[in-house]
């Protein structure tokens, strides 16, 4: 590496930073502040409530353990899809005196399974924490009660119901994350602006030099 060329590039970068320093500081700060204000005052907080179901394994055979486990895992995946059916959503809505529509139940309900356990985790998000708790618990109760309607089994039990928390923090918006993303986006846009402006200035300088050279050649002729 040529040390002279390296120091020349370094000096050029430092001059750019000095020239654009105020913009590189103020614009990202404004973007970060805007993201913080938007998250704080305009985004409606969402709370999450969780309930856990246990699927009791069926027909575990010591002679063919792998196939038995795979069969139970497929059953759990089937249950994952059945939980988010309109049948369960309608039953939950009736249990809550139709205060929550079936469409809203399905929209805000999340179902998570694992490949290494027989647990199913239900998550419901809502602007009201107590309502989220009620809905997710009713989903768990409804499925545990009605699983036999779908399959000829009764092997689902509730192991953990959601409970309201006094100092629950919303899962959305993530104010710190949004603020940092706003700052980073502002910095990126600012850097792109500097690159574009400096590139245009360099291009204009090249055009002006070419024009002067052309005129000089014309006078010599």
């Amino acid at each position: 590496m040529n040390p002279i060329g390296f120091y020349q590039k370094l000096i050029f970068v430092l001059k750019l930073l000095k020239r654009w320093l105020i913009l590189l500081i103020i614009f990202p700060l404004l973007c970060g502040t805007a993201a913080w204000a938007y998250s704080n005052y305009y985004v409606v907080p969402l709370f999450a409530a969780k309930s856990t179901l246990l699927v009791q394994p069926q027909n575990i055979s010591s002679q063919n353990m792998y196939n038995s486990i795979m069969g139970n895992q497929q059953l759990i995946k089937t249950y994952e899809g059945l939980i988010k059916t309109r049948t369960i959503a309608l039953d939950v809505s009736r249990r809550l005196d139709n205060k929550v529509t079936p469409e809203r139940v399905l929209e805000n309900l999340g179902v998570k399974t694992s490949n290494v356990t027989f647990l199913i985790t239900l998550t419901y998000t809502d602007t009201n924490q107590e309502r989220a708790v009620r809905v997710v618990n009713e989903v768990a109760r409804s499925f545990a009660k009605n699983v036999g309607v779908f399959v000829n089994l009764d092997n689902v039990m509730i192991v953990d119901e959601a409970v309201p928390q006094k100092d629950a923090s919303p899962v959305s918006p993530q104010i710190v994350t949004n603020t940092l993303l706003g700052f980073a986006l502002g910095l990126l846009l600012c850097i792109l602006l500097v690159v574009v402006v400096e590139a245009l200035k360099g291009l204009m300088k090249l055009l002006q030099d070419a024009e002067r050279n052309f005129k000089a050649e014309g006078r010599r002729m």
Side-chain angles (χ1 to χ4, degrees):
M1 179 183 293
N2 185 356
I4 297 177
F6 172 76
Y7 286 119
Q8 287 177 340
K9 292 179 181 179
L10 181 60
I11 292 172
F12 175 74
V13 171
L14 291 175
K15 286 182 178 179
L16 281 181
L17 288 175
K18 183 179 179 181
R19 188 183 310 160
W20 295 94
L21 183 60
I22 296 178
L23 181 63
L24 288 169
I25 293 175
I26 292 179
F27 190 71
L29 286 176
L30 288 175
C31 291
T33 303
W36 174 85
Y38 180 78
S39 300
N40 256 316
Y41 299 109
Y42 292 97
V43 179
V44 179
L46 290 177
F47 296 88
K50 292 184 179 181
S51 182
T52 305
L53 300 174
L54 172 64
V55 179
Q56 301 174 16
Q58 302 292 304
N59 302 322
I60 295 294
S61 171
S62 58
Q63 296 179 349
N64 199 347
M65 183 69 71
Y66 176 78
N67 287 337
S68 298
I69 293 175
M70 290 301 296
N72 280 282
Q73 288 295 334
Q74 291 175 357
L75 180 63
I76 291 174
K77 287 295 183 183
T78 301
Y79 285 175
E80 179 182 357
L82 291 175
I83 290 172
K84 297 202 68 172
T85 57
R86 187 168 178 82
T87 300
I88 297 297
L90 283 169
D91 186 51
V92 170
S93 182
R94 285 193 293 266
R95 287 166 176 261
L96 296 172
D97 299 323
N98 297 316
K99 292 179 180 179
V100 181
T101 64
E103 291 76 16
R104 187 173 178 182
V105 172
L106 294 175
E107 180 182 357
N108 296 345
L109 179 65
V111 183
K112 183 179 180 181
T113 60
S114 169
N115 292 327
V116 294
T117 70
F118 297 110
L119 297 176
I120 300 176
T121 302
L122 309 179
T123 305
Y124 190 84
T125 55
D126 199 288
T127 56
N128 183 284
Q129 187 209 8
E130 292 184 357
R131 185 167 56 222
V133 169
R134 290 198 303 270
V135 173
V136 77
N137 285 338
E138 289 301 336
V139 171
R141 293 164 189 163
S142 175
F143 187 71
K145 180 181 179 180
N146 296 306
V147 63
V149 174
F150 300 105
V151 295
N152 191 24
L153 292 171
D154 185 15
N155 63 333
V156 176
M157 62 179 294
I158 302 171
V159 295
D160 189 17
E161 286 196 342
V163 293
Q165 298 179 3
K166 291 183 179 179
D167 300 322
S169 299
V171 295
S172 175
Q174 298 180 353
I175 297 175
V176 175
T177 301
N178 291 347
T179 302
L180 292 175
L181 286 175
F183 180 86
L185 180 61
L187 182 60
L188 178 61
L189 291 175
C190 197
I191 292 173
L192 289 175
L193 177 64
V194 170
V195 171
V196 171
V197 171
E198 291 295 329
L200 290 175
K201 288 172 65 175
L203 179 61
M204 291 297 297
K205 186 175 182 303
L206 287 174
L207 292 175
Q208 290 172 356
D209 291 343
E211 184 180 3
R212 282 196 296 268
N213 292 335
F214 180 77
K215 290 180 179 180
E217 289 294 333
R219 284 194 293 267
R220 291 194 192 102
M221 294 176 62

